[in-house]
């Protein structure tokens, strides 16, 4: 298995400036951020109608683990111009009111409070009549926490919950994941308590910029694979309103799945207890209907970085 932390490891993919060699094919790519790889489509298929290259090629049983390793090594892999009706996706039904932020508007990992986090989360904008106007910001976890401290107003930094906390860049750089989560939680709770809804949204827009987050507008037929539990480059994401949220604006919907745990290989079964626990974490705001998954009678191995 490829270990992205091992400089001598043999990668299952080769990446140049504009072409990715993967799955016995060449793919047109670009790198808008150091932690982002955008796959625009297969070389030689420019202008073709959208196809399900996600499941037919990138996520086929032969190449699936290698693709996951590409996500692990990159942070965020974006696949454009794909069409699929695969039954394993569920609707993301989260909504934000003008008066308060939903949980999805704060930077988070999926499965953030449980002992086991999904290896990656795939969020998708299906091909549909209505375009998507709300962004999804994605950035490395440590960069997010650094940015949250960097743009934190002085009156919030001096709040009781944070007054004794060492938030220097050196300390944050040395923190392990658990310490980063704890500090981030303290800051988020302070922001929720001290700022009104639009003040909090404005704060997180500043965080997006300071963290150099990826929040390009959603394209129809786009999937974003986010490294969610990764010892090398764990990412976080959030629903990001880039202008004051006034409501009443039509928006295309998103779907999601925890691809590694839910898109199963022959001989694997879904861990229903894990999926139920992850779904219950999302609560009413994010919604989590059980997807349709075909299973067999052998145990399902969970690989979490």
């Amino acid at each position: 298995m490829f270990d992205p932390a091992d400089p001598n490891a043999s990668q299952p993919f080769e990446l140049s400036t504009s072409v990715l060699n993967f799955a016995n094919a060449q793919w047109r790519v670009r790198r808008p951020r150091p932690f982002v790889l955008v796959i625009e489509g297969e070389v030689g298929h420019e202008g073709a109608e959208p196809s399900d290259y996600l499941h037919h090629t990138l996520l086929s049983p032969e190449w699936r683990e290698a693709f996951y390793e590409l996500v692990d090594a990159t942070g965020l892999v974006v696949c454009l111009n794909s069409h699929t009706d695969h039954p394993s996706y569920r609707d993301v039904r989260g909504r934000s009111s003008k008066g308060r932020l939903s949980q999805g508007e704060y930077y988070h990992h999926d499965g953030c409070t449980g002992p086991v986090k999904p290896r990656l989360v795939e969020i998708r904008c299906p091909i549909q009549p209505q375009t998507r106007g709300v962004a999804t910001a994605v950035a490395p976890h440590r960069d997010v926490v650094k940015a949250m401290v960097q743009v934190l107003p002085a009156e919030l930094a001096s709040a009781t919950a944070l007054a004794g906390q060492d938030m220097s860049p050196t300390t944050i750089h040395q923190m392990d994941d658990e310490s980063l989560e704890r500090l981030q939680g303290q800051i988020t709770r302070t922001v929720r308590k001290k700022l009104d809804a639009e003040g909090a949204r404005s704060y997180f827009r500043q965080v997006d910029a300071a963290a150099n987050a990826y929040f390009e507008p959603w394209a129809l037929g786009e999937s974003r694979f986010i490294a969610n539990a990764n010892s090398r480059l764990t990412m976080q994401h959030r629903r990001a309103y880039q202008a004051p949220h006034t409501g009443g604006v039509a928006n295309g919907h998103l779907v999601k799945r925890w691809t590694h745990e839910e898109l199963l290989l022959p001989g694997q079964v879904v861990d229903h207890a894990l999926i139920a626990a992850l779904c219950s974490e999302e609560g009413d705001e994010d919604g989590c209907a059980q997807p349709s998954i075909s299973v067999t009678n052998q145990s399902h191995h969970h690989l979490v970085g």
Side-chain angles (χ1 to χ4, degrees):
M1 184 177 296
F2 168 63
D3 179 359
D6 180 359
N8 298 314
S10 177
Q11 293 188 359
F13 46 85
E14 297 178 9
L15 178 63
S16 68
T17 303
S18 59
V19 174
L20 169 70
N21 291 306
F22 181 82
N24 295 325
Q26 291 188 316
W27 306 88
R28 305 186 311 278
V29 297
R30 54 186 172 86
R31 299 295 298 265
R33 301 283 193 281
F35 55 87
V36 181
L37 175 68
V38 177
I39 300 175
E40 298 181 334
E42 190 174 353
V43 173
H45 291 247
E46 294 82 355
E49 289 295 314
S51 66
D52 193 0
Y53 70 81
L54 274 180
H55 296 91
H56 294 164
T57 306
L58 300 183
L59 292 171
S60 65
E62 178 184 3
W63 293 103
R64 191 173 303 171
E65 177 58 31
F67 182 73
Y68 293 162
E69 289 165 358
L70 175 61
V71 178
D72 289 340
T74 304
L76 169 64
V77 174
V78 178
C79 297
L80 299 178
N81 199 39
S82 69
H83 177 70
T84 182
D85 293 315
H86 200 279
S88 60
Y89 295 100
R90 68 176 67 83
D91 284 337
V92 176
R93 297 195 298 263
R95 295 291 182 269
S96 304
S97 72
K98 291 180 289 184
R100 67 187 182 101
L101 275 67
S102 73
Q103 295 293 334
E105 289 187 72
Y106 302 101
Y107 273 103
H108 63 282
H109 303 288
D110 270 33
C112 57
T113 63
V116 178
K117 296 180 177 65
R119 180 178 181 179
L120 56 91
V121 56
E122 177 190 354
I123 305 175
R124 176 169 176 79
C125 185
I127 295 175
Q128 58 192 297
Q130 179 64 54
T131 58
R132 175 75 177 176
V134 180
T136 298
V138 185
H141 184 201
R142 194 175 303 274
D143 291 352
V144 169
V145 178
K146 287 180 180 177
M148 290 177 71
V149 171
Q150 178 184 332
V151 304
L152 190 66
E155 61 271 22
L156 270 63
S158 61
T160 303
L162 297 173
Q165 175 70 53
D166 182 356
M167 297 188 290
S168 67
T170 299
T171 297
I172 294 174
H173 179 73
Q174 295 172 346
M175 283 181 173
D176 59 19
D177 288 344
E178 184 177 349
S179 298
L180 285 172
E181 295 270 16
R182 187 161 47 249
L183 174 59
Q184 184 177 29
Q186 291 172 327
I187 296 173
T188 297
R189 286 189 293 273
T190 301
V191 168
R192 294 180 69 177
K193 182 178 180 180
K194 300 292 187 181
L195 299 180
D196 63 16
E198 200 48 51
R201 291 188 175 105
S202 176
Y203 167 74
F204 278 104
R205 284 193 285 271
Q206 295 177 62
V207 173
D208 295 339
N212 196 30
Y214 180 86
F215 51 83
E216 288 192 13
W218 281 98
L220 300 181
E222 171 184 355
S223 277
R224 298 183 184 182
F225 292 86
I226 304 168
N228 185 66
N230 184 322
S231 60
R232 176 183 176 273
L233 190 63
T234 296
M235 311 296 288
Q236 287 192 321
H237 62 283
R238 76 177 194 94
R239 184 186 307 121
Y241 292 93
Q242 295 306 306
H245 178 44
T246 57
V249 178
N251 256 301
H253 73 284
L254 299 178
V255 297
K256 68 176 285 188
R257 65 183 174 187
W258 300 297
T259 314
H260 177 250
E261 287 78 14
E262 295 182 283
L263 184 63
L264 304 181
L265 294 169
Q268 295 179 327
V269 296
V270 68
D271 184 337
H272 289 291
L274 173 63
I275 301 304
L278 295 173
C279 287
S280 66
E281 276 194 355
E282 295 187 329
D284 294 337
E285 289 175 321
D286 285 321
C288 192
Q290 285 289 346
S292 302
I293 303 174
S294 298
V295 300
T296 60
N297 59 5
Q298 298 183 29
S299 63
H300 176 31
H301 176 67
H302 295 289
L303 175 60
V304 179

